[in-house]
């Protein structure tokens, strides 16, 4: 037995975070009051703790929730730091982005936050980390990867880029029994959303976890959501009889990768967080007043003439299908988007000239030997994630979005110029100014800097 390969202490634990009755599901707007009616499969918070036996300790928490939030993450970190010797900056909180789960982050009109539930979920997540820390045991760690091509698509441009990497980290007890498996992929989890519109669900990431655990009895699996701001599984898989195929495909690649792993023998565990300032631009008064006047007019008159040419043009990814969410009623759909327009302009007008033209974000890098995790709080576009991969030489890089906070979609320059949903609507439902063509590169630079510092190559 190689001494380096068994130098790790690893713990894993899980807590249930299924919401109580009356808590809204998030990520499908607007103003649907989508409280859940049944539980398709319960939500969880799963924690993986890795200790290098020399003072380095990190924790990764995978949560089946929609949007993260910096205050939510801070609560978990503070509870963990108070009861373990894992530093607050050593905790990474990654959300799966299930659209059949509640949200911790603000999303105007697409799921109200429930403060009592979020306190419960944060406490459960912290307790999972604390229990994993108490249950650390000697383990071997290995890493592998695979490719899942042909099943996802870029929804912002024809034949656009997708990240096909499936990254897998495995921890085994010294007698060879499996302990934990973490899987990282990059696609929106909406396979079951429309069929299970009012059901609590982990969606396909939960099925990946279940399938890994079924294949490796005794293991605890984590799904870590990646770079998928502009990526879905192909539409024929979403809410059709084929909706179970995405999970089987991801878990199939992951299980194949598990058969061809390499041992992580480089010692050391570390974590670094850095603040990043992302440029935005101020809305013009013409942009604001145009949408405000249309919204007020439609709400007052009920007029739906040309409704898809104005506010609703990029209000969702497929605006022509929006009435289906309102029982087929164009009138209700137009009223909802008009209310949205009035509410976001109500918020932005008083601060239009005084708010800073930047957004603050936290980036985080974690290192387990010669395996890296790069975490950011956005729905990062694929070109940006792939640029980080291109400029970061080590191969084993897990790219984590929806982590430690929420700044909504972070589009690339193409999407900003196109003025699509992610560029034009996301800042309205997150309460921010819109990103610019330079915003994505600021995030890329931040991720590369924090990775470099974690590896000892930064400033």
């Amino acid at each position: 037995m190689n001494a380096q390969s068994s130098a790790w202490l690893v713990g894993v634990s899980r807590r249930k975070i299924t919401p109580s009755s009356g808590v809204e599901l998030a990520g499908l707007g607007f103003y649907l009051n989508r409280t859940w009616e049944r539980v398709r499969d319960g939500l969880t918070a799963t924690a993986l703790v890795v200790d290098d036996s020399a003072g380095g300790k990190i924790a990764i928490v995978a949560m089946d929730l929609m949007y993260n939030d910096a205050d939510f993450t801070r609560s978990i970190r503070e509870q963990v730091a108070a009861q373990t010797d894992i530093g607050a900056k050593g905790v990474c909180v990654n959300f799966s982005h299930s659209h059949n789960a509640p949200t911790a982050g603000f999303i105007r009109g697409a799921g109200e936050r429930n403060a009592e539930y979020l306190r419960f979920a944060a406490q459960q997540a912290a307790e999972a980390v604390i229990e994993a820390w108490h249950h650390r045991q000697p383990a071997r760690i290995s890493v592998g990867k695979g490719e899942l091509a042909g099943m996802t698509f870029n929804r912002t441009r024809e034949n656009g880029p997708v990240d096909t990497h499936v990254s897998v980290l495995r921890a085994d007890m010294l007698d060879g029994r499996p302990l934990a498996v973490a899987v990282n992929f990059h696609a929106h989890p909406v396979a079951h959303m429309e069929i299970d519109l009012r059901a609590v669900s982990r969606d396909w990431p939960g099925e990946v976890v279940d399938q890994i655990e079924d294949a490796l009895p005794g293991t605890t699996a984590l799904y870590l959501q990646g770079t998928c701001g502009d990526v879905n599984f192909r539409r024929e898989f979403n809410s059709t009889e084929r909706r179970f195929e995405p999970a089987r495909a991801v878990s199939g690649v992951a299980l194949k990768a598990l058969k061809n792993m390499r041992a992580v023998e480089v010692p050391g565990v570390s974590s670094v967080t850095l603040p990043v300032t992302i440029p935005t631009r101020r809305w013009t008064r013409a942009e604001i007043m145009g949408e405000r006047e249309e919204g007020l007019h439609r709400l007052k008159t009920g007029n739906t003439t040309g409704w898809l040419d104005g506010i609703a043009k990029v209000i969702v990814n497929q605006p022509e299908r929006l009435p289906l969410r309102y029982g087929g009623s164009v009138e209700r759909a137009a009223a909802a988007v008009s209310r949205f327009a009035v509410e976001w302009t109500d918020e932005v007008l008083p601060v239009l000239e005084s708010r800073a033209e930047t957004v603050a974000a936290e980036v985080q890098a974690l290192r387990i030997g010669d395996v890296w995790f790069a975490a950011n709080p956005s729905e990062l576009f694929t070109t940006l994630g792939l640029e980080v991969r291109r400029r970061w030489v080590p191969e084993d890089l897990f790219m984590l979005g929806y982590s430690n906070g929420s700044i909504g979609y972070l589009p690339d320059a193409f999407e900003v110029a196109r003025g699509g949903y992610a560029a034009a609507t996301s800042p309205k439902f997150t309460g921010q100014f819109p990103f610019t063509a330079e915003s994505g590169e600021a995030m890329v630079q931040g991720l590369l800097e924090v990775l470099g510092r974690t590896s000892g190559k930064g400033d």
Side-chain angles (χ1 to χ4, degrees):
M1 180 177 66
N2 186 295
Q4 293 281 20
S5 66
S6 61
W8 314 103
L9 296 175
V10 176
V12 65
S13 182
R14 175 173 291 152
R15 288 288 189 276
K16 295 180 180 179
I17 57 169
T18 303
S20 58
S21 178
V23 177
E24 283 194 40
L25 308 177
L28 187 71
F30 294 89
Y31 311 107
L32 293 172
N33 188 30
R34 195 162 57 107
T35 54
W36 63 270
E37 296 174 352
R38 68 183 184 91
V39 177
R40 176 180 181 269
D41 54 296
L43 310 183
T44 64
T46 306
L48 175 70
V49 170
V50 181
D51 182 335
D52 66 5
S53 304
K57 298 174 180 66
I58 63 168
I60 301 174
V61 190
M63 302 192 70
D64 299 311
L65 293 174
M66 203 269 177
Y67 259 6
N68 208 326
D69 177 72
D71 288 338
F72 181 86
T73 296
R74 185 179 303 112
S75 174
I76 295 171
R77 287 173 166 174
E78 289 174 351
Q79 292 177 68
V80 169
Q83 298 187 57
T84 73
D85 57 0
I86 304 171
K89 293 183 179 180
V91 178
C92 177
V93 181
N94 175 262
F95 277 23
S96 73
H97 196 52
S98 172
H99 286 45
N100 283 68
T103 183
F106 173 68
I107 320 172
R108 187 185 314 281
E112 291 293 324
R113 292 180 290 182
N114 184 292
E116 182 179 354
Y117 169 72
L118 293 177
R119 283 192 295 271
F120 161 76
Q123 181 179 0
Q124 291 290 91
E127 288 181 359
V129 177
I130 294 163
E131 182 173 77
W133 180 78
H134 281 297
H135 289 176
R136 289 167 296 162
Q137 59 182 295
R140 297 187 183 93
I141 294 177
S142 54
V143 67
K145 55 182 177 292
E147 297 284 331
L148 179 56
M151 291 193 68
T152 57
F153 77 104
N154 188 306
R155 64 194 194 190
T156 68
R157 65 208 80 174
E158 187 174 0
N159 299 318
V162 297
D163 191 337
T164 60
H165 290 81
V166 179
S167 301
V168 185
L169 188 83
R170 173 172 177 162
D172 292 303
M173 291 175 270
L174 297 188
D175 62 7
R177 287 179 296 162
L179 180 61
V181 172
V183 179
N184 173 220
F185 187 57
H186 319 274
H188 265 68
V190 292
H192 303 284
M193 180 179 66
E194 292 186 20
I195 279 184
D196 291 322
L197 191 64
R198 290 186 178 267
V200 173
S201 174
R202 296 172 294 162
D203 210 274
W204 63 259
E207 295 168 0
V208 170
V209 166
D210 292 346
Q211 289 163 18
I212 296 291
E213 293 179 353
D214 287 345
L216 294 171
T219 197
T220 299
L222 303 82
Y223 177 78
L224 302 174
Q225 189 58 274
T227 302
C228 63
D230 49 356
V231 174
N232 280 35
F233 278 98
R234 297 201 313 263
R235 298 201 192 280
E236 61 260 37
F237 300 123
N238 292 334
S239 294
T240 71
E241 67 279 359
R242 301 183 64 186
R243 64 190 181 278
F244 299 100
E245 294 182 35
R248 289 197 291 265
V250 175
S251 58
V253 173
L255 289 168
K256 185 177 180 179
L258 288 172
K259 298 177 181 179
N260 189 30
M261 309 280 278
R262 69 168 181 86
V264 180
E265 298 183 341
V266 174
V269 168
S270 59
S271 174
V272 176
T273 65
L274 288 176
V276 177
T277 301
I278 310 294
T280 63
R281 70 166 179 86
R282 213 172 297 279
W283 295 107
T284 68
R285 190 163 290 274
E287 287 173 316
I288 296 170
M289 296 310 298
E291 293 207 3
R292 182 174 181 80
E293 289 168 5
E294 180 188 344
L296 290 170
H297 169 73
R298 294 194 188 281
L299 288 175
K300 181 178 180 179
T301 66
N303 184 357
T304 62
T305 303
W307 77 283
L308 280 174
D309 299 323
I311 300 166
K313 187 174 183 179
V314 291
I315 195 72
V316 291
N317 280 304
Q318 295 177 287
E320 69 281 358
R321 299 184 75 245
L322 188 60
L324 295 176
R325 302 180 189 178
Y326 303 89
S329 170
V330 171
E331 290 76 15
R332 289 178 60 201
V337 298
S338 297
R339 175 183 170 186
F340 178 88
V342 173
E343 288 189 0
W344 87 263
T345 58
D346 275 345
E347 179 192 280
V348 75
L349 279 170
V351 298
L352 179 60
E353 303 302 330
S354 59
R355 180 185 288 175
E357 282 189 293
T358 57
V359 167
E362 176 195 286
V363 291
Q364 182 183 38
L366 304 100
R367 180 178 69 86
I368 301 173
D370 55 357
V371 178
W372 279 266
F373 297 76
N376 77 88
S378 74
E379 298 202 54
L380 195 67
F381 265 43
T382 301
T383 55
L384 305 175
L386 292 177
E387 182 65 10
V388 174
R389 290 193 186 278
R390 186 184 72 81
R391 290 157 65 177
W392 179 250
V393 175
E395 289 187 8
D396 288 306
L397 173 63
F398 289 60
M399 289 291 296
L400 276 56
Y402 311 95
S403 298
N404 306 324
S406 175
I407 59 171
Y409 283 92
L410 184 46
D412 58 13
F414 176 93
E415 176 69 0
V416 170
R418 189 175 78 102
Y421 163 73
T425 302
S426 175
K428 298 170 188 174
F429 66 63
T430 57
Q432 300 168 180
F433 284 159
F435 290 116
T436 70
E438 292 73 38
S439 301
E441 177 60 21
M443 178 61 80
V444 169
Q445 291 282 4
L447 287 167
L448 291 169
E449 181 179 356
V450 77
L451 283 164
R453 293 197 184 191
T454 310
S455 65
K457 299 177 182 178
D459 295 334

